Amino acid sequence: MSQGEFGEVYKGRLKLPGKREIYVAIKTLKSGYVEKQRRDFLSEASIMGQFDHPNIIRLEGVVTKSRPVMIVTEFMENGALDSFLRQNDGQFTVIQLVGMMRGISAGMKYLSEMNYVHRDLAARNILVNSNLVCKVSDFGLSRYLQEDTSDPSYTSSLTNSYPPEGGKIPVRWTAPEAIAYRKFTSASDVWSYGIVMWEVMSFGERPYWDMSNQDVINAIEQDYRLPPPMDCPSTLHQLMLDCWQKDRNVRPRFADIVSTLDKMIRNPTSLKAIANIPSVRPSQPLLDRSIPD
């Protein structure tokens, strides 16, 4: 069992007439909810129910007739990608890691073709099964995060240009145009995908380490970008940098990312050259706005 945003998540078994019994994950809505929370909770299921792709978490069904209200999805044995990578630090080959990233990009390509913008793509919202297949999950979206969320990944408005009702944003994963003026598109998902690549190659390290959210925003604005993780092939770091281009119109599309990763998998020698790690973190002057150029 684990804590979810709306309630608990359990492992269970589902037996449908004429089908074999399967393991499932059961998300419950905690008691004491208000009607809006129930609607938000079930809207995640209605979004998920529209998708059918091997790299998107599959909805098995919902239970609304009894209490608690439940969402039933396929069971992913290895749980969330970020914690799975931390538990297995250094245990996977570059090709295995590229395979994981390829799966995530294929799921995102499918979502973008469905004109769906995820808005909260991060390794914590990718689930991994026993075959290391990665599936995009968590369609509750950051806009449903409650104001009292204890998750430090999300923060309230940071700039005056936010509408105050804007909810919380996962700053470290979010494209600058989405932070500055709420412009969420497939291109902002591509930026987030670049951060997920970095999380994968660093085996679940926290993006931008212990920098504050405001420091991250200032650094990005001054063109700082995350350096390559240890032993990261330069072709992969270049793809991350492409995803983090300031102009969202020149970022690759998910279709481009899938085909780039496919080429790398077919031609593993392209992954041989390791990127040079520059000075690992931005220097203080970069973060301190009071220091003149």
Side-chain angles (χ1 to χ4, degrees), residues 176 180 214 216-225 246 289:
Q214 190 59 61
V216 171
I217 290 172
N218 295 352
I220 295 293
E221 217 167 82
Q222 295 167 60
D223 296 326
Y224 172 76
R225 297 295 184 266
K246 187 163 260 173
R289 292 227 143 136

Side-chain angles (χ1 to χ4, degrees), residues 155-218:
T155 190
S156 294
S157 345
L158 285 155
T159 58
N160 300 333
S161 55
Y162 274 121
E165 75 284 356
K168 303 209 166 199
I169 276 195
V171 167
R172 287 155 202 276
W173 287 265
T174 303
E177 73 275 6
I179 289 175
Y181 50 96
R182 274 277 189 290
K183 190 73 190 157
F184 286 96
T185 60
S186 274
S188 60
D189 277 351
V190 165
W191 177 291
S192 307
Y193 177 80
I195 303 289
V196 172
M197 288 183 69
W198 190 90
E199 290 183 277
V200 170
M201 294 312 296
S202 65
F203 284 92
E205 203 168 327
R206 180 168 171 76
Y208 309 98
W209 312 282
D210 49 8
M211 288 165 65
S212 73
N213 282 328
Q214 190 59 61
D215 282 347
V216 171
I217 290 172
N218 295 352

Side-chain angles (χ1 to χ4, degrees), residues 2-284:
S2 64
Q3 281 293 119
E5 182 205 325
F6 288 103
E8 266 78 44
V9 183
Y10 300 87
K11 178 184 180 182
R13 291 196 297 264
L14 174 68
K15 177 81 178 82
L16 294 171
K19 290 195 175 175
R20 64 185 181 86
E21 188 177 83
I22 54 168
Y23 280 110
V24 290
I26 303 161
K27 272 179 149 176
T28 60
L29 184 55
K30 52 178 166 256
S31 56
Y33 57 82
V34 295
E35 183 53 31
K36 181 184 180 321
Q37 286 172 310
R38 181 178 185 274
R39 278 201 310 274
D40 288 349
F41 180 73
L42 290 173
S43 87
E44 178 174 2
S46 68
I47 291 166
M48 253 159 76
Q50 300 166 41
F51 303 141
D52 179 18
H53 188 274
N55 296 106
I56 305 285
I57 197 80
R58 188 178 66 251
L59 178 72
E60 297 291 354
V62 292
V63 178
T64 54
K65 289 275 198 304
S66 57
R67 298 285 169 87
V69 177
M70 295 182 263
I71 295 177
V72 182
T73 63
E74 66 180 306
F75 182 69
M76 301 291 280
E77 296 83 356
N78 284 315
L81 178 59
D82 60 340
S83 52
F84 176 65
L85 288 167
R86 287 193 286 269
Q87 287 156 14
N88 294 281
D89 193 346
Q91 298 301 300
F92 301 119
T93 64
V94 169
I95 282 290
Q96 284 177 306
L97 296 172
V98 173
M100 292 180 190
M101 292 188 278
R102 194 260 177 220
I104 299 163
S105 65
M108 291 306 299
K109 171 178 180 271
Y110 172 82
L111 290 180
S112 65
E113 286 165 355
M114 300 277 284
N115 292 318
Y116 182 82
V117 179
H118 191 285
R119 297 168 43 144
D120 195 9
L121 181 59
R124 65 181 169 276
N125 291 333
I126 306 291
L127 297 173
V128 189
N129 73 11
S130 55
N131 297 322
L132 297 190
V133 176
C134 290
K135 305 197 183 201
V136 181
S137 82
D138 216 300
F139 298 98
L141 300 187
S142 47
R143 67 169 170 258
Y144 294 143
L145 280 159
Q146 304 309 303
E147 281 305 310
D148 63 4
T149 178
S150 54
D151 188 337
S153 304
Y154 299 91
T155 190
S156 294
S157 345
L158 285 155
T159 58
N160 300 333
S161 55
Y162 274 121
E165 75 284 356
K168 303 209 166 199
I169 276 195
V171 167
R172 287 155 202 276
W173 287 265
T174 303
E177 73 275 6
I179 289 175
Y181 50 96
R182 274 277 189 290
K183 190 73 190 157
F184 286 96
T185 60
S186 274
S188 60
D189 277 351
V190 165
W191 177 291
S192 307
Y193 177 80
I195 303 289
V196 172
M197 288 183 69
W198 190 90
E199 290 183 277
V200 170
M201 294 312 296
S202 65
F203 284 92
E205 203 168 327
R206 180 168 171 76
Y208 309 98
W209 312 282
D210 49 8
M211 288 165 65
S212 73
N213 282 328
Q214 190 59 61
D215 282 347
V216 171
I217 290 172
N218 295 352
I220 295 293
E221 217 167 82
Q222 295 167 60
D223 296 326
Y224 172 76
R225 297 295 184 266
L226 283 165
M230 191 107 78
D231 298 330
C232 178
S234 51
T235 47
L236 285 173
H237 188 242
Q238 186 54 56
L239 183 53
M240 296 177 204
L241 294 173
D242 292 345
C243 293
W244 301 330
Q245 298 206 63
K246 187 163 260 173
D247 179 352
R248 64 192 165 98
N249 297 309
V250 296
R251 292 174 203 153
R253 296 184 312 272
F254 280 113
D256 306 323
I257 294 171
V258 173
S259 66
T260 300
L261 294 173
D262 278 343
K263 282 184 193 128
M264 290 179 191
I265 291 167
R266 286 198 301 272
N267 176 24
T269 53
S270 65
L271 297 163
K272 285 278 185 279
I274 300 302
N276 292 327
I277 300 188
S279 63
V280 175
R281 309 192 184 191
S283 58
Q284 269 324 105

